[in-house]
Amino acid sequence: MAPEVSERPTGRVGGAAALGPGTDSTLCLPALPRGTVDRPRLRERLEAGVTGPLTLVSAPAGTGKTVLTSSWARRHPEDVRWLSLDDGDMAAPLWPRLVGALELGGAQVRLPDGVNEGNEPLPDALATTLAVRPHPVVLVLDCDAPLPADVAAGLDHLLRRSHERLRLVLLTRADPLLPLHRYRLAGTLTEIRTADLAFTPDEARVLLAAAGLDLSPVAADAVTARTQGWAAGLRLAALALATRAEPEQAVHDLRGDTGAVAEYLIAELLDSQSPEARQLLLDTSIADVLRPGLVEALAGPRAERDVALLAKGNVLIEELAERPGWFRYHALFRELLRAQLAYESPARLAPLHRAAATWLAGHDMVEDAVRHDAAAGAWDDAAWHVIDNLALGQVLVQQPPVLRDTLAALPADVEGVAPALVRAALALTAADDERCLNEVAQARELLAGARDGWTEAELAAECLTLAQASASSDAERALQAARAAAQLLDSAPRERLRAHPELPALIHSGDGAAQLLRGSLDLAAHAFTQGVHAGYAPGREAPVGSCLGHLALIAALRCQLRRATDLAAQTVALHQSANLHAEPNETAEIALAWVGMETYDLAGASRHTMRAAAASQGGGNDPLAATMLALVTSRVRHAHGDLVGALEVLDGARAAVPALPAWMQDELRLEQATLDLVGGRATRAVSVIEELADTANPAVALLRSRASLALGADTATPTVTGTATPLAVRVNSLLLDSHSHLTLGEEELARRAVERALLLAAPEHLRRPFREAPAEVRRLMRLDGDLLARHRWLGARGQRGYAHAPSRGHRAGEAMSSSPLSARLLEPLTPKEQEVLEHLAALEDTEEIAGAMFVSVNTVRTHVRNILRKFAVSRRNQAVRLARELNLLTAEDADRGLTPSG
């Protein structure tokens, strides 16, 4: 006999007559709290879910499961039935209550003869009754306690036998014992879990506003972040903030271990656990992340499985999506657990922190290990974990300095090798050399009386010595420490070096810096290259960045301009990706400025020079960087006609760093002698040359020859131009030879020398020697159109007026006179006016020209007025157009403001 469906109401359990307060008398729905927020994204998930047989809303207490589903159900009063089950209901038969819930709204389930609400055949009979309904019915089961296994099995049977006429929405704090995997595989399960229920910032702002709080968007977002969107946390936070005179400031005081939040967490989550689960929660709460292995170290061999079960039971523990098997407590719940542990079992805190530190240090997580050691007051252990794990480099270079900040609290009275070494590292980062050396000396004394096998401590001592010696420009002591550290590296554990690549990178960087002090550029480049190959870990990029930057400087110094540009770009990219500092990278900017100067991109050279100067004001003490910055700044000023300023820069560099290595002093003196020759002070230049320490430097021979010519010699002494000679010296030597040939009237030999120089300079686009060559050589190039046609690169950046020079056999004056506009140039332009004209062609305004030329705005305006007067025009663009027609500007000059240069 088939069951029948009746429309008349009955008085069974769950009917309207049995409803208590706080429910909807029509649907038996829980009442909605004031300020309920409509959440369309989740409401749409429920709408989609009830098109299939099973929708599971599984999340911890206070996440808004009931409010969300009740709010949605109110939109469908004719189709939704609601049944709430608490602990007491689980002890009584479910089926009578379920039948009663289905009868709400006027539908009665009439059971076949012999079947009553206590019989086992009831689920089958109920399924048959539902299967013949014309429309599906939605049943919401709101469970405060886990469903018994037999009830879960009965519900599964009911869903499968009702021919999709029953749509079950199950609200639960723990996943039911239903075969969820089957429903997932069939695509008939919709799941809404903790992460889905978390309020978004926009939803949270609406909720807080509905609670009467007028918070700024920043403060509202801070509340959302602090509660992680947990619904109960947001409501409790709103209640707490509403009582504060200044809720904006009180936002940052929200905690899980005090007030209403703590009371809720204790009542709804902590006290509802078994004694064993409760202790597990307390013991593991000291860890920020519950990793496999660490959990067992804290709470015993079964702890990992038990934590996973608690997560499935939705106890405000979430599994990390990116690391399956790793878990994390909700921040507020973790605060509550830690406070409860400290209150109930204060004696357990230190042993638990020590156990965590030991496990973490054994798995190369030194930063976390030291934090737990510090919490336990185990400072000697903390220091040894740093030394044994080869993490000293992390203390020196990590950004942000998390490990260093933790160790900053290391008491001064903690004795031993490791504490002394850690204090030395902290002193070094604070630029306290004396304290650093004293602590290292103390550690060495203790090591001298210790047994063998302390490789890690000895390595740390050598690294600190190397870093301090390099920073203080003590090359010999630095090299000695570098050699000792390199030997100790060979016996260090490989797996720990892989976890801390910054340590070998630091050693190679220090070795390279020491080799630079000695002037051994090849050895320095080799050391820096090894440092780059050592690699880096996130947050510890500084040593590799330093190595790349110094390789860029060495390449620039050797006139390997393309390589310098590439290395500088790598340095900048690493610097920016690591967010090492807000200011520019000094070494990269100097290398780029050097390249700009040598390729005669004066605007680029000026820009990078200023950026490098700004970066060096942060307290850098790199001798090579200081020397090269002074040299390129001086050359930029010289290129802009400021000879006095160029010399002042060199004098200032020698005064600022009096202990510069001899070879760097020589570089500054060579530049000074060059400027003296340009300024017509040949005798003074010779005196400066005599002060040089390395008279075998090929650049010295070149400068002597130039001085000899300046003092009246007929020809220059031939210079060495072999492949071992620096490129700039070889090019300048050939140009000097060209000048000598011109002096003797040997124009063809002079032209050949220029051609050879151009061929040498072409691969690197080295333009400065040609732009600053003697006037006679520059005139030769201007008049030789064929020569410049073969080397168009010479005019692509900075060499204005060359690309469109007249062909060989025509004089500049002849080319000028052939133009009908020649009479319009009333008198020749001065070099400064020519330079201003070139900037005007680049569409630069007065302020930009002044900045590029290191002159005042008024000076630029004076030059512009003179240019307009000499061209007999009234507008700047007219002057530029006429200058181009007169071959005073190239086409590239005229277009430079519209297209990228070079």
Side-chain angles (χ1 to χ4, degrees):
M1 179 178 177
E4 297 178 2
V5 179
S6 171
E7 294 301 323
R8 65 179 181 83
T10 70
R12 284 187 172 172
V13 176
L19 298 180
T23 60
D24 185 300
S25 60
T26 303
L27 299 176
C28 198
L29 300 180
L32 295 177
R34 289 180 57 189
T36 297
V37 176
D38 181 33
R39 306 172 75 185
R41 64 182 179 90
L42 295 178
R43 179 160 41 79
E44 291 168 5
R45 292 276 296 276
L46 285 172
E47 292 281 3
V50 296
T51 62
L54 180 59
T55 300
L56 177 66
V57 185
S58 179
T63 49
K65 303 182 297 294
T66 300
V67 172
L68 167 70
T69 311
S70 178
S71 176
W72 164 79
R74 279 173 164 74
R75 296 171 177 263
H76 306 279
E78 69 282 0
D79 297 322
V80 177
R81 309 292 179 262
W82 190 288
L83 177 59
S84 297
L85 301 173
D86 56 24
D87 285 323
D89 296 321
M90 295 305 176
L94 167 70
W95 304 107
R97 291 178 58 83
L98 191 147
V99 170
L102 290 173
E103 289 177 343
L104 286 176
Q108 179 186 5
V109 177
R110 182 172 297 168
L111 302 176
D113 294 339
V115 176
N116 58 55
E117 294 165 357
N119 288 350
E120 290 186 5
L122 180 56
D124 281 329
L126 185 56
T128 305
T129 300
L130 293 170
V132 298
R133 280 180 58 88
H135 303 291
V137 61
V138 178
L139 174 64
V140 179
L141 285 184
D142 188 3
C143 307
D144 276 351
L147 287 173
D150 60 329
V151 172
L155 288 173
D156 177 48
H157 180 77
L158 184 60
L159 286 171
R160 288 187 288 107
R161 294 291 301 276
S162 62
H163 297 289
E164 298 189 359
R165 286 298 183 266
L166 176 64
R167 310 293 170 82
L168 179 63
V169 180
L170 188 56
L171 315 186
T172 177
R173 297 185 183 185
D175 282 4
L177 296 175
L178 289 166
L180 297 178
H181 61 284
R182 293 181 188 170
Y183 290 92
R184 291 192 188 103
L185 189 61
T188 57
L189 172 65
T190 296
E191 298 179 77
I192 298 177
R193 295 190 173 273
T194 306
D196 305 307
L197 290 165
F199 275 64
T200 66
D202 288 341
E203 293 169 343
R205 283 194 284 269
V206 174
L207 185 148
L208 294 170
L213 285 175
D214 184 19
L215 295 178
S216 67
V218 173
D221 290 349
V223 175
T224 308
R226 190 75 183 89
T227 59
Q228 296 175 226
W230 178 41
L234 284 168
R235 290 192 177 276
L236 292 170
L239 291 173
L241 292 174
T243 64
R244 303 293 290 271
E246 296 183 353
E248 290 272 341
Q249 285 70 34
V251 164
H252 305 288
D253 299 331
L254 291 174
R255 296 189 56 80
D257 53 3
T258 60
V261 175
E263 293 173 3
Y264 183 92
L265 291 171
I266 291 173
E268 293 292 334
L269 290 175
L270 187 57
D271 285 351
S272 64
Q273 306 301 319
S274 67
E276 296 78 14
R278 192 178 192 278
Q279 193 62 57
L280 173 67
L281 291 170
L282 295 176
D283 287 350
T284 56
S285 66
I286 66 163
D288 289 341
V289 177
L290 305 182
R291 299 174 172 89
L294 174 59
V295 174
E296 287 88 337
L298 292 172
R302 296 181 52 186
E304 184 178 343
R305 182 182 66 87
D306 292 342
V307 166
L309 290 174
L310 286 171
K312 288 184 178 180
N314 291 320
V315 191
L316 282 183
I317 305 174
E318 61 174 341
E319 186 172 20
L320 304 188
E322 67 277 11
R323 301 300 294 266
W326 292 34
F327 298 90
R328 179 168 49 209
Y329 289 112
H330 188 287
L332 297 176
F333 191 39
R334 183 171 59 239
E335 289 174 355
L336 180 277
L337 292 173
R338 289 176 177 177
Q340 203 67 15
L341 175 63
Y343 175 74
E344 295 180 8
S345 307
R348 292 178 57 80
L349 280 173
L352 285 170
H353 280 297
R354 284 178 181 269
T358 300
W359 187 90
L360 290 164
H363 291 79
D364 293 317
M365 287 176 268
V366 182
E367 190 176 300
D368 291 331
V370 169
R371 183 170 50 80
H372 283 287
D373 281 326
W379 287 107
D380 185 64
D381 290 345
W384 275 115
H385 284 149
V386 171
I387 301 303
D388 285 341
N389 283 275
L390 306 180
L392 188 76
Q394 185 174 345
V395 179
L396 295 175
V397 305
Q398 184 186 30
Q399 291 295 335
V402 178
L403 182 57
R404 188 191 316 162
D405 289 346
T406 303
L407 290 166
L410 173 64
D413 58 355
V414 178
E415 299 180 352
V417 172
L421 292 171
V422 169
R423 280 193 293 267
L426 295 173
L428 187 61
T429 61
D432 188 345
D433 285 1
E434 182 179 358
R435 182 179 162 215
C436 174
L437 293 173
N438 289 339
E439 294 286 359
V440 171
Q442 180 184 344
R444 288 188 186 278
E445 288 179 10
L446 295 171
L447 283 170
R451 54 183 172 79
D452 293 336
W454 289 42
T455 301
E456 291 84 356
E458 293 169 351
L459 177 58
E462 297 297 347
C463 287
L464 288 166
T465 301
L466 170 58
Q468 191 280 327
S470 296
S472 59
S473 300
D474 189 340
E476 296 309 315
R477 189 161 58 90
L479 289 173
Q480 183 180 357
R483 286 191 290 268
Q487 292 176 353
L488 291 166
L489 268 182
D490 292 336
S491 56
R494 296 292 100 185
E495 66 278 2
R496 290 183 177 174
L497 284 176
R498 282 193 293 271
H500 292 281
E502 71 278 358
L503 190 65
L506 268 174
I507 292 171
H508 295 309
S509 178
D511 183 16
Q515 297 291 358
L516 281 180
L517 292 172
R518 298 179 65 185
S520 303
L521 298 189
D522 289 339
L523 294 176
H526 177 70
F528 288 132
T529 301
Q530 285 185 302
V532 172
H533 291 162
Y536 59 86
R540 294 170 253 163
E541 299 89 349
V544 171
S546 175
C547 290
L548 280 171
H550 281 91
L551 285 171
L553 292 181
I554 292 172
L557 198 61
R558 288 171 161 173
C559 226
Q560 298 168 343
L561 305 181
R562 290 179 298 171
R563 174 172 168 77
T565 302
D566 180 60
L567 288 166
Q570 292 182 50
T571 307
V572 171
L574 179 62
H575 185 87
Q576 292 176 343
S577 66
N579 195 25
L580 292 176
H581 301 287
E583 65 271 9
N585 180 274
E586 181 186 11
T587 53
E589 294 296 337
I590 295 172
L592 292 172
W594 193 282
V595 171
M597 187 64 246
E598 296 308 297
T599 58
Y600 232 76
D601 174 14
L602 297 185
S606 299
R607 181 173 63 253
H608 290 295
T609 298
M610 289 187 287
R611 289 169 62 86
S616 68
Q617 292 175 1
N621 57 354
D622 187 325
L624 179 61
T627 300
M628 292 184 67
L629 178 57
L631 289 170
V632 73
T633 303
S634 176
R635 290 172 184 175
V636 168
R637 294 199 173 186
H638 171 211
H640 286 109
D642 185 6
L643 193 61
V644 174
L647 288 167
E648 288 176 350
V649 169
L650 300 177
D651 292 339
R654 283 192 291 268
V657 192
L660 274 178
W663 76 273
M664 296 184 195
Q665 292 276 12
D666 278 1
E667 293 293 328
L668 294 174
R669 291 192 180 98
L670 283 168
E671 194 68 23
Q672 179 185 340
T674 300
L675 294 174
D676 285 336
L677 287 174
V678 171
R681 296 181 293 274
T683 303
R684 179 179 168 183
V686 171
S687 299
V688 173
I689 293 172
E690 296 305 320
E691 297 175 5
L692 297 172
D694 181 12
T695 56
N697 186 340
V700 177
L702 172 64
L703 208 54
R704 288 186 191 277
S705 296
R706 289 185 60 185
S708 177
L709 283 175
L711 290 172
D714 292 333
T715 59
T717 304
T719 55
V720 178
T721 57
T723 56
T725 304
L727 175 62
V729 174
R730 293 157 65 192
V731 171
N732 277 303
S733 295
L734 288 167
L735 294 177
L736 186 61
D737 290 344
S738 176
H739 183 219
S740 297
H741 289 308
L742 287 173
T743 302
L744 298 174
E746 300 168 343
E747 185 171 330
E748 185 58 32
L749 292 177
R751 184 175 292 107
R752 291 179 186 176
V754 170
E755 177 84 41
R756 290 174 60 195
L758 287 167
L759 290 172
L760 281 175
E764 300 292 344
H765 285 192
L766 176 63
R767 299 185 180 94
R768 186 168 71 92
F770 301 95
R771 185 62 183 264
E772 297 179 358
E776 295 83 356
V777 175
R778 285 186 279 127
R779 180 175 177 277
L780 174 69
M781 289 189 289
R782 272 201 308 275
L783 297 178
D784 194 336
D786 294 339
L787 182 69
L788 293 175
R790 292 194 300 273
H791 297 279
R792 294 188 180 275
W793 61 269
L794 192 61
R797 186 196 297 265
Q799 280 296 98
R800 301 174 172 89
Y802 285 177
H804 289 260
S807 61
R808 185 185 303 176
H810 290 81
R811 300 176 183 271
E814 294 172 347
M816 183 82 77
S817 62
S818 65
S819 169
L821 298 172
S822 60
R824 301 290 294 275
L825 186 60
L826 302 180
E827 59 182 278
L829 299 177
T830 68
K832 282 292 185 181
E833 291 165 353
Q834 175 71 30
E835 185 174 354
V836 170
L837 179 63
E838 293 164 356
H839 285 291
L840 292 176
L843 302 182
E844 295 178 13
D845 60 25
T846 304
E847 289 75 13
E848 290 173 329
I849 298 173
M853 294 180 62
F854 296 96
V855 296
S856 70
V857 171
N858 287 335
T859 299
V860 173
R861 289 172 177 159
T862 299
H863 288 315
V864 171
R865 284 195 295 269
N866 289 337
I867 292 170
L868 298 179
R869 177 180 58 80
K870 292 179 180 181
F871 277 104
V873 296
S874 59
R875 300 174 64 86
R876 296 183 179 192
N877 62 345
Q878 293 173 329
V880 170
R881 180 174 59 81
L882 290 175
R884 182 155 54 89
E885 293 178 1
L886 291 170
N887 287 330
L888 296 178
L889 290 172
T890 66
E892 286 89 345
D893 286 313
D895 295 337
R896 194 169 174 198
L898 305 177
T899 58
S901 62

